[in-house]
Amino acid sequence: MLRVAVVGSGPSGVYTAQALVQQTLVPDVHVDVLDRLPCPYGLVRYGVAPDHEKIKSLQNNLRTVLEDERIGFIGNVEVGARGLSPARLLDAYHAVVYCVGAARDRRLGVPGEDLPGSHSATDFVSWYSAHPDSPDPGFALGTVRSAVVLGVGNVAVDVTRILARGAAELHPTDVPSAALRALAASGVREVHMIGRRGPSQGKFTTKELRELGGLPQAAVEVEPSDLALDPGYADPSALPAVNRRNVEVVRGWAADSSTGATPPRARHIRLRFYLRPVELLAGGDGRVAGVRCERTEPDGEGGVRGTGTFEDIEAQLVLRAVGYRGVPLEGLPFDRTHGTVPHQAGRVLRDGAPSPGEYVAGWIKRGPTGVIGTNRPCAKETVASLLEDTGELSARPLTGEPLAMLRGLGHEPVEWPGWLAIEDAEAALGRSLGRRSVKIPDWQGLLDAARSAGTVGTGGWSTVREHGGAMPAAPGIAPP
């Protein structure tokens, strides 16, 4: 039997596991999908916006893969500096495929970036997605009148949309109670989404962009002077299809803005282009109070250059959504220039040569590019390389059974039944709040639910109290 570990249970990891068990060249393969969290699905659970239910339903497809008898889920196991070393992991498996994503936001590198009130978009997404590593106490939105989102990709659109939505619209989703209360108390009236280039070069998809115009409590406005700079805006016929459709959407909003046809709404989304942040400004309380931007213009070569003209935009909250970057995993080589693990067709390279048994797939392999579906061909390429190497890999002796090894080293693995217990606890929490399933937002609550094998223990009760509501009694457990 060929025993393979896949580190990371997001789409790239699950697609890798699926490709391994569906191939026919090696008939006897078992795959363990490991994750640092006790929950599977990666960014599908903790990165897709709660109001994107169709995309979140992809969890059902990933679930079907992980329920295959040839695949095991092992959560709550960290690989790297604070956990299991890659070398030790390779003792227990013939091959290891790292699908660990790109966990760090790119920085702006401008003065004031670390002022209170300035955050990465990832922190904001983690907060409203109930990631157990999310900032505590979270985001106080009651004192925010104007927010600035830096970036024009889908993450920027997501956080802009969540800021502009009413809490009542998010009540049916799995947003944790603390975030829902903060959004209900929000004072946000303006959300500025800022890009340094024009709408024809935006990285958002048309579907995401259009959703901004369908919010019942928010109106979208664009600045005609920003649009006039974009050579692709006046004549979009030569643009790729997605970019052309994006321009058409923005063109419609521009027409409404110029004629005053935009209906009055509680909130305003202001799309701004050809502005480059150069400094975050502090107020008298030491918190962020605004963003100073330099006007840019096309440089004739597909980029932009500064014009020396500046504009200040008021902001009590700044969210930076300017891209992701991979982070080193101790024990693996790392290309700091590109933020990836060096590889050849998925084979990890050490000192320029393939490292037997070590592979990569997903963002840590190719960088943070593409959509969820892009991970399928990426995973298949890596699996093809692994299968070519099976003669050498299967001859290597292993040191015992992985779960026994993990427990012997002091780990407390969460297997698939533990994850199902977390799902049950989240469903019960939602029912107690008159909502659908609501995610447990902290490590202790997740682990207590996993340990309970279908009921919620003392720690879980504490979590429910803290995050808004009492849980109905589970069999054999009296309410506190």
Side-chain angles (χ1 to χ4, degrees):
M1 179 179 71
L2 186 71
R3 185 185 291 168
V4 181
V6 173
V7 181
S9 65
S12 64
V14 175
Y15 292 153
T16 298
Q18 183 179 41
L20 281 163
V21 298
Q22 287 184 345
Q23 55 77 35
T24 57
L25 294 175
V26 181
D28 192 8
V29 177
H30 181 85
V31 183
D32 284 335
V33 179
L34 282 64
D35 204 289
R36 183 178 69 90
L37 298 172
C39 311
Y41 311 139
L43 284 179
V44 177
R45 174 174 166 91
Y46 287 121
V48 174
D51 56 346
H52 275 175
E53 294 189 6
K54 184 175 181 180
I55 302 176
K56 288 178 76 68
S57 69
L58 177 62
Q59 289 186 22
N60 296 327
N61 301 63
L62 303 181
R63 180 192 193 102
T64 299
V65 176
L66 292 175
E67 288 179 334
D68 189 295
E69 62 182 7
R70 297 164 293 179
I71 298 175
F73 172 72
I74 305 177
N76 195 38
V77 174
E78 184 165 4
V79 177
R82 295 180 297 175
L84 196 66
S85 72
R88 187 67 185 87
L89 190 60
L90 202 55
D91 286 340
Y93 293 92
H94 293 109
V96 181
V97 186
Y98 293 91
C99 305
V100 293
R104 181 177 298 164
D105 284 81
R106 291 186 181 275
R107 291 181 61 82
L108 295 170
V110 302
E113 184 171 8
D114 295 318
L115 284 170
S118 168
H119 305 269
S120 73
T122 296
D123 283 348
F124 190 69
V125 171
S126 294
W127 171 69
Y128 67 61
S129 297
H131 195 292
D133 291 338
S134 64
D136 187 24
F139 291 80
L141 302 176
T143 59
V144 178
R145 192 193 74 81
S146 177
V148 166
V149 178
L150 300 172
V152 285
N154 281 344
V155 174
V157 174
D158 276 351
V159 298
T160 294
R161 191 181 64 255
I162 295 298
L163 283 169
R165 272 204 186 280
E169 300 168 56
L170 293 170
H171 186 268
T173 73
D174 61 2
V175 168
S177 296
L180 196 62
R181 288 194 297 270
L183 290 164
S186 171
V188 173
R189 293 297 173 262
E190 293 184 341
V191 185
H192 304 262
M193 194 172 81
I194 295 174
R196 61 188 178 88
R197 297 194 288 184
S200 70
Q201 297 175 305
K203 298 299 184 182
F204 33 64
T205 57
T206 307
K207 179 181 180 296
E208 294 263 0
L209 185 64
R210 282 199 183 107
E211 287 178 340
L212 294 179
L215 302 179
Q217 297 189 39
V220 181
E221 301 173 7
V222 294
E223 181 63 46
S225 61
D226 293 353
L227 306 177
L229 293 169
D230 190 340
Y233 183 80
D235 181 13
S237 59
L239 295 174
V242 172
N243 304 76
R244 185 171 64 250
R245 290 193 293 267
N246 289 343
V247 167
E248 290 168 357
V249 172
V250 174
R251 193 189 297 277
W253 289 332
D256 291 342
S257 297
S258 62
T259 62
T262 304
R265 299 283 172 85
R267 297 183 177 95
H268 294 268
I269 298 171
R270 307 190 192 279
L271 300 187
R272 300 298 311 274
F273 300 98
Y274 289 108
L275 291 175
R276 177 169 59 199
V278 295
E279 183 180 1
L280 273 58
L281 307 174
D285 59 357
R287 298 181 59 83
V288 69
V291 180
R292 177 159 294 163
C293 298
E294 182 182 18
R295 168 67 71 183
T296 62
E297 63 182 9
D299 63 5
E301 298 179 357
V304 294
R305 58 181 170 237
T307 64
T309 302
F310 297 89
E311 177 180 342
D312 292 350
I313 299 175
E314 177 194 354
Q316 295 81 40
L317 173 68
V318 176
L319 298 176
R320 310 181 303 271
V322 293
Y324 294 98
R325 183 175 176 81
V327 297
L329 192 153
E330 186 169 309
L332 281 185
F334 189 71
D335 181 342
R336 294 187 178 276
T337 301
H338 298 97
T340 57
V341 171
H343 72 94
Q344 183 180 71
R347 296 180 178 91
V348 171
L349 299 177
R350 292 182 181 270
D351 299 321
S355 176
E358 295 185 311
Y359 303 84
V360 285
W363 278 2
I364 199 63
K365 169 187 173 184
R366 68 181 190 273
T369 60
V371 294
I372 290 174
T374 311
N375 291 294
R376 280 191 182 276
C378 176
K380 287 181 178 179
E381 180 192 53
T382 295
V383 168
S385 295
L386 189 156
L387 294 174
E388 290 176 5
D389 302 339
T390 52
E392 178 185 2
L393 298 176
S394 59
R396 204 165 49 77
L398 303 182
T399 58
E401 198 274 329
L403 279 170
M405 178 267 289
L406 289 169
R407 293 190 178 103
L409 293 172
H411 295 273
E412 187 180 348
V414 172
E415 299 180 66
W416 192 251
W419 158 241
L420 297 181
I422 291 172
E423 281 193 318
D424 288 344
E426 293 181 337
L429 174 57
R431 288 193 298 271
S432 75
L433 300 172
R435 301 170 60 191
R436 287 184 283 179
S437 182
V438 174
K439 283 187 280 191
I440 296 171
D442 63 281
W443 276 98
Q444 190 62 52
L446 290 170
L447 293 176
D448 284 341
R451 295 182 187 113
S452 71
T455 59
V456 179
T458 305
W461 281 108
S462 174
T463 296
V464 173
R465 285 201 197 96
E466 179 182 352
H467 295 281
M471 184 168 291
I477 297 181

